Amino acid sequence: MKKSIISLLCLALFACSTKTTSPPIKGAVVSARIEASEAGRDILKKGGNAYDAMVATSFALTVVYPVAGNITGGGFFVYRSAEGETGSLDYREMAPLKATKDLYLDDDGNVIPGKSTIGGLAVGIPGAVAGILEVHRKLGSLPLADLIQPAIDLAEKGYIVSEKQAKSYNRYSKQFTGVNGKVTLYAKGYKAGDRVKNIPLANALKEIAAKGNAGFYESWVAEAMVNKTRATGGILSLEDLKAYLPKWRDPLTFSYKDLNLISMAPPSSGGICLGQMMKMIEPYDIKSMGHNSVESMHLMVEAERRSYADRSHFLGDPDFVAVPQDHLMDENYLLSRMENYSKEAATASADVSHGDIIVVESDETTHFSILDAKGNAVAVTTTLNGAYGSKVFVEEIGVFMNNEMDDFSSKPGEPNMFGLTGSEANSIAPKKRMLSSMTPTIVEKDNKLYLIVGTPGGSTIITSVFQTILNVYEHGMEMQAAVNAPRFHHQWLPDNLVLEPEKFDAKTIEGLQKKGHSVEAKYSKIIGKVDAIHISESGTISVGADPRGDDAAATH
Ligand code: GLY
């Protein structure tokens, strides 16, 4: 008996001493799909940097995440190098040369429903390939072909359809067939576990790997995109494609307490609105109010309401309109915006117009965050706009074309597919970039890298990023908990406070209603799919992959 107790004790001791603790994370990629995260992570393991991984992950997402991953859309890239240098690249789509201000209006000046969202006329000039290749040209270290190869392999060998994907493909299959006039790849009917091979996409990727930008913008790939877009009612031309150029822009930077935030400037509204919201709440002790308490939610919603009102009026492509960025970010201006804020009662959106200064998006965007072992950080948000963009499927290259044209204001004052109301500043013009909400953001604390964050979600992108940053910084949450936490959203118009369904208790909802908020808690959709990386003061890296999607982190 004594002997057996001793041997049990020995066994227990042995088990304790051999218990494996995971090694610290050196680098990470967090994206909408594990295959895309692994494609980037494997590049990091081979000695590539975060920018190389950005290329590999972007192309892999095109294969395994057709709802939003793309070579036929556009996006924004924000980086912070290990040395602290920051920058951002705008590879947003542009309106085709033949686009006009009233492209989506009938003879009476009314918006024709569906024209800017479904079919060829919804398609903007894709910027994704030019953007990804520009990141590689400026910051990459490994050969381009090596970075595209993982995506080619995925397209040739096939990827496994998840439960969520099968549901999504089947939900949209009728629309795919309607727009394309026949059953195309994603309209075939799927179940979880099916394998999807996409040889046409593999061929297009090989063309890009061999010829760079010309392989996409000036080859048979370009011809296929133009032909299909035109056959479905569009105006995209070879001339449009040949002329597309991405643009390096100064990132939008601002402080919040001891944080320094680096985000995307116009034509994304993301950076400005995030900055406005954070500055508007900065004077208040939100930490003591508690996470998702009636008090803290009320304050944040009132900041969101005011910022979205400004977004609608002032923001557009800075190459076409004068965006009063400095005024919109001015601390005194933002204090004045909160002068009519009441702790007790909601301000009606009808009483919140845009500010007085001298002088409207899909749920199906996608974001990924990358950190390499040296400390280079990358935040990328990229989109086709709506789920599967315009639903126009180019069979020769195995992908959907974007419907980014809906992010313009078809008619000032009319809401777009996200209910966002736009103004003249965001009206359509040839070669103009449509306003976005994408908010790829990098946060520094005491001059050190602190957070890499972003999300899809159309108009809810900015509020999701806003809440995730506060969850970590103010409410002390771990990265994954901060991502999991229930979200809410207000965008000025419509004057509704949207809560994720079944995530807020009756007492909170009642408390918000008492303050006068029109609460929409049965909203059927999730808000955002945040993928983020946190670096603690001691240098410990942790990841947050949003369980609302199939999102996953790959680390090493
Ligand atoms: N299409 C979504 C966005 O750009 O915000």
Side-chain angles (χ1 to χ4, degrees), residues 92 361-362 365 383 385 404 407 418 435-438 458 461:
R92 183 76 162 155
E361 284 125 269
S362 156
T365 296
T383 186
N385 195 24
E404 215 66 60
D407 273 350
F418 306 108
L435 187 60
S436 171
S437 296
M438 293 190 281
I461 289 175

Side-chain angles (χ1 to χ4, degrees), residues 18 75 112 216 267 321 355 427 505 523 550:
T18 57
I112 308 168
F216 182 80
V321 291
S427 60
D505 58 33
Y523 187 64
D550 292 327

Side-chain angles (χ1 to χ4, degrees), residues 38 59 140 191 219 222 245 255 277 349 355 365 382 385 453 519 521 539:
E38 285 174 349
F59 284 114
K191 57 183 185 330
S219 67
L245 285 176
S255 67
M277 291 172 195
S349 285
T365 296
T382 176
N385 195 24
V453 60
V519 178

